[in-house]
Amino acid sequence: WDETHFGKMGSYYINRTFFFDVHPPLGKMLIGLAGYLSGYDGTFPFQKPGDRYEQHNYVGMRGVRLYRLVSSWLALLCFSVQMLELSKSLPAALLTAFILIFDTGCITLSQYILLDPILMFFLMGAVLSMVKYNSCADRPFSASWWFWLSLTGVNLAGAMGVKFVGLFVVLLVGLNTIYDLWDLLGNLSLSLVVFGKHLLARVLCLILLPLALYTAMFAVHFTVLNKSGPGDGFFSSAFQSQLIGNNLYNVSVPE
């Protein structure tokens, strides 16, 4: 059923048809982009699970351009976290990657049009970035420190932009940041000015940057979906008047 649902959402983006859904837009926009790049024209109805795709080019949406690429990166990210930062053990890192590669659940998820592989990619990306910028603690405000801190914020926005369960990795990074700042505050060799710079850097990269990116996703969402569709009724008359094909299109709506 989920493939039917998210496949239809991807078709809406290709057709620029407005819809309403409970999840944030990033994952579905990437599904639509994968279908568009692979030649899918957005005409398959996605009415019920098990319908045959026939001549419709569904391959890009289902796996080749997005999901299997994302799923293969998951194993690499897990290997990097284990090998480079956490255990620093090659056998442990290989075992972690091996278990993920041959996990039945991950193999199944990577074969269908679902949000979960994209979500897991951003979750693991956020964890790797967080661990990497922690390893740069002895070189604060260096180029690599700023890079990994900013990339953590980007991955947080990505995780939240796919599904709201991305809040769990936001919580993880938030707790890590609180612990880090508490440790810095207890370092008597640091002045309050330097501590303030550390605090400002984290506010900028872990709060403001993700919020800006998250907002930008919705800006793209509303820009692309400019035609009337099944989600019109959830929004105001003023909003509906901006959708091509709606009964209120270009009608002057009083304040």
Side-chain angles (χ1 to χ4, degrees):
W1 184 86
D2 277 355
E3 180 175 65
T4 302
H5 177 71
F6 295 120
K8 183 180 292 186
M9 301 299 105
S11 297
Y12 283 151
Y13 279 106
I14 293 174
N15 297 319
R16 307 194 69 173
T17 302
F18 188 78
F19 67 94
F20 177 80
D21 189 53
V22 296
H23 298 297
L26 178 61
K28 290 164 293 187
M29 285 195 291
L30 291 175
I31 290 173
L33 178 62
Y36 175 78
L37 292 177
S38 59
Y40 171 60
D41 57 6
T43 57
F44 186 73
F46 286 102
Q47 290 181 343
K48 64 180 184 297
D51 285 346
R52 298 182 67 86
Y53 288 103
E54 301 297 344
Q55 79 279 6
H56 294 279
N57 189 353
Y58 65 93
V59 176
M61 295 177 72
R62 190 178 253 192
V64 171
R65 294 213 174 215
L66 184 61
Y67 293 96
R68 290 181 185 171
L69 177 63
V70 167
S71 297
S72 62
W73 272 95
L74 286 178
L76 181 59
L77 289 173
C78 288
F79 178 87
S80 300
V81 170
Q82 278 286 352
M83 177 62 187
L84 300 179
E85 303 302 334
L86 296 183
S87 67
K88 299 187 184 297
S89 167
L90 180 59
L94 288 173
L95 178 62
T96 302
F98 179 86
I99 291 173
L100 185 61
I101 289 171
F102 293 97
D103 180 77
T104 305
C106 289
I107 293 173
T108 303
L109 287 175
S110 66
Q111 293 179 349
Y112 296 100
I113 304 172
L114 301 173
L115 300 181
D116 303 88
I118 310 172
L119 173 65
M120 290 190 294
F121 175 80
F122 284 115
L123 292 176
M124 283 305 305
V127 172
L128 175 62
S129 303
M130 179 190 71
V131 172
K132 289 292 289 183
Y133 94 74
N134 282 342
S135 69
C136 297
D138 57 336
R139 305 186 306 277
F141 308 113
S142 63
S144 58
W145 186 88
W146 278 110
F147 172 79
W148 290 112
L149 186 64
S150 301
L151 190 59
T152 303
V154 171
N155 283 311
L156 291 180
M160 277 293 299
V162 175
K163 276 188 174 183
F164 286 125
V165 293
L167 275 171
F168 286 106
V169 79
V170 174
L171 178 62
L172 173 65
V173 173
L175 292 174
N176 176 79
T177 303
I178 292 172
Y179 175 83
D180 189 27
L181 289 173
W182 182 256
D183 189 54
L184 290 171
L185 187 61
N187 187 350
L188 299 181
S189 64
L190 291 180
S191 66
L192 287 178
V193 174
V194 175
F195 175 78
K197 291 180 180 178
H198 276 279
L199 177 61
L200 185 61
R202 285 156 177 80
V203 169
L204 177 65
C205 295
L206 301 180
I207 297 178
L208 297 182
L209 177 60
L211 284 176
L213 293 175
Y214 187 75
T215 305
M217 295 172 198
F218 280 92
V220 174
H221 170 80
F222 287 115
T223 300
V224 172
L225 304 181
N226 64 350
K227 297 180 181 179
S228 180
D232 295 11
F234 293 99
F235 291 81
S236 67
S237 299
F239 179 81
Q240 293 181 48
S241 68
Q242 302 174 27
L243 297 175
I244 300 172
N246 190 281
N247 292 331
L248 298 176
Y249 181 59
N250 277 342
V251 172
S252 178
V253 180
E255 291 284 340

